[in-house]
Amino acid sequence: MDRILIRGGRPLRGRIPISGAKNAALPLLAASLLSEGPLVLENVPDVVDIASMAGLLGELGVGVSIANGEEVGQTITLAARDVKDITAPYDLVRKMRASVVVLGPLVARCGHARVSLPGGCAIGTRPIDFHLKALAQLGAEIELAGGYVEARAPAGGLVGADITFPAVTVTGTENAMMAAALARGETVLHNAAREPEVADLANCLVKMGAEIEGIGTDTIRIQGRDRLSGTTHRVLPDRIETGTYAVAAAITGGDVELTGTSIELIKSVADVLVASGVELTPTANGIRVARENGRLAGVDIMTEPFPGFPTDMQAQAMALMTVAGGAAMITETVFENRCMHVPELCRMGANINVHGASAIIRGVAGLSGAPVMATDLRASVSLVLAGLAAEGETEINRVYHLDRGYERLEAKLAAFGADV
Ligand code: UD1
């Protein structure tokens, strides 16, 4: 997909099936490297990032077979009987930073891994120093050369350790947890990420035979095993996709049901939506989202690691606040430089001022369609949301980012009654 044309102003109505979480599925796919398998993953979203990760695993020697799901998603079966390569090349890591999650499993299972350094990306510098420090504490020797990280386990394999992360890192916790699952003895991860996607991975590792305590907390205790087995695991629903479509309903004054998901999964986002005047009701299958009569109210938001407000919903929340009554302050604390959607939203008539890590959004009566440019996955979707609410036509360019993380976005929106 190159660009999207949206004729805005239609309230969304209907039912949207929510896909499995991309950010849970990516490390789960990498976990296939930990055992001879087979690992069967259900409810994997059919998006470009998943295809890239499956492609990488295939190149490493993992047998990969894919079957389409009924409504959304796919079932991916992975069998890593022989891992024949241990390199995640520059071209792939550059395009998808999350490919760094093969590092922990490769060094634990094969004793050796080579992963390109991700380098800068559109939302900040995003180093992987915490990942490397954790692996070093498990006994890996780390070398940086030619833009690659090379990690080698000692002769007897990785050894359990007490690891404290200097700051919360999602994929860093995942890398350390997967490596620890095949290390000798006990590993304790302190200040671990509590994101539901980390817990989903831990639950799958338990089914593969690992012993893990403290799942979903900031202290994770892992007893390493000599070997892990295959299993079947269903990927949890995507809380960011859920939140995004909830905003789509709210910003257009619509009334929709999001199925295959739950309010509990989006608690911090639901709190903001409710405070802003959106009605969220649990249904047998998911969530009904409708806007109460009248205008939305501005709500202040600060992004934080889970259970705080997710940085991956910041741009979407900002789109909503552009048309809410009064002012809202949104502060980004997880990533530097994650405000690239601001000038584009302003081109559509939004009133936003950025001061350091905070943006003041003064609600306007309405947005107007304009040609805009997408910069990253979540920034792109915030422009789609603004376009749905705007008067007239919005043309969003460079939308390939959307294909990386949103399964069948145009089809889902069209089924909702949007003119896309
Ligand atoms: C994951 C998500 C991403 C989300 C982010 C924060 C996946 C595949 N991606 O990314 O969508 O936006 O969590 O919720 O799950 N940091 C360091 N050194 C490190 C690691 C991180 O300084 O070694 C910093 C980062 O620059 C950032 C912060 O820590 O400022 C959090 O990053 P992290 O949680 O690691 O993000 P990802 O795991 O890359």
Side-chain angles (χ1 to χ4, degrees), residues 23 97-98 126-131 169-171 311-312 334-335:
N23 284 354
R97 225 190 95 79
R126 298 181 83 177
I128 57 164
D129 48 336
F130 305 157
H131 302 230
T169 162
V170 174
T171 48
T311 173
D312 287 350
V334 179
F335 291 113

Side-chain angles (χ1 to χ4, degrees), residues 29 33 43 92 117 132 150 199 207 212 227 246 265 316 326 333 355 411 417:
L29 285 163
L33 289 165
N43 199 34
L92 194 82
L117 281 168
L132 301 183
E150 198 141 340
K207 288 193 224 165
I212 307 181
R227 54 181 31 214
L265 201 59
Q316 299 90 313
T333 74
H355 301 274

Side-chain angles (χ1 to χ4, degrees), residues 118-358:
C121 77
I123 60 172
T125 42
R126 298 181 83 177
I128 57 164
D129 48 336
F130 305 157
H131 302 230
L132 301 183
K133 207 168 147 232
L135 291 175
Q137 284 182 272
L138 293 168
E141 203 176 293
I142 310 280
E143 247 178 83
L144 303 181
Y148 277 76
V149 175
E150 198 141 340
R152 277 175 207 275
L158 298 177
V159 185
D162 209 56
I163 297 168
T164 303
F165 289 103
V168 176
T169 162
V170 174
T171 48
T173 302
E174 291 164 349
N175 247 332
M177 193 162 67
M178 288 190 277
L182 281 185
R184 250 181 307 135
E186 181 178 90
T187 297
V188 187
L189 304 177
H190 303 275
N191 198 24
R194 290 179 279 169
E195 268 66 6
E197 293 75 23
V198 177
D200 202 36
L201 172 65
N203 287 327
C204 180
L205 292 174
V206 168
K207 288 193 224 165
M208 293 170 76
E211 198 184 316
I212 307 181
E213 279 170 43
I215 295 175
T217 75
D218 64 358
T219 307
I220 305 177
R221 206 172 276 275
I222 305 134
Q223 312 295 336
R225 292 278 181 255
D226 288 343
R227 54 181 31 214
L228 296 176
S229 59
T231 191
T232 297
H233 183 80
R234 190 173 170 79
V235 178
L236 93 168
D238 196 313
R239 63 196 167 97
I240 305 302
E241 192 195 26
T242 305
T244 302
Y245 286 121
V247 170
I251 203 169
T252 61
D255 186 344
V256 305
E257 189 189 9
L258 308 176
T259 58
T261 185
S262 70
I263 293 186
E264 295 77 65
L265 201 59
I266 57 158
K267 173 137 193 346
S268 57
V269 173
D271 289 348
V272 164
L273 291 175
V274 168
S276 176
V278 182
E279 228 179 308
L280 295 175
T281 333
T283 63
N285 248 329
I287 315 174
R288 181 175 160 224
V289 187
R291 196 205 286 182
E292 284 169 7
N293 289 332
R295 200 167 168 199
L296 296 166
V299 179
D300 292 346
I301 299 169
M302 171 130 59
T303 66
E304 285 172 314
F306 191 84
F309 191 94
T311 173
D312 287 350
M313 276 298 299
Q314 184 255 102
Q316 299 90 313
M318 194 179 295
L320 185 66
M321 293 308 155
T322 62
V323 292
M329 182 159 87
I330 299 188
T331 306
E332 173 61 60
T333 74
V334 179
F335 291 113
E336 58 201 277
N337 198 15
R338 201 171 196 182
C339 280
M340 283 139 348
H341 41 288
V342 170
E344 301 302 307
L345 289 172
C346 290
R347 302 192 60 246
M348 298 176 70
N351 179 349
I352 307 173
N353 277 298
V354 178
H355 301 274
S358 296

Side-chain angles (χ1 to χ4, degrees), residues 39-63:
L39 176 61
V40 181
L41 297 175
E42 299 167 349
N43 199 34
V44 178
D46 185 1
V47 295
V48 169
D49 272 8
I50 295 297
S52 304
M53 180 62 93
L56 168 63
L57 292 169
E59 274 172 38
L60 299 180
V62 180

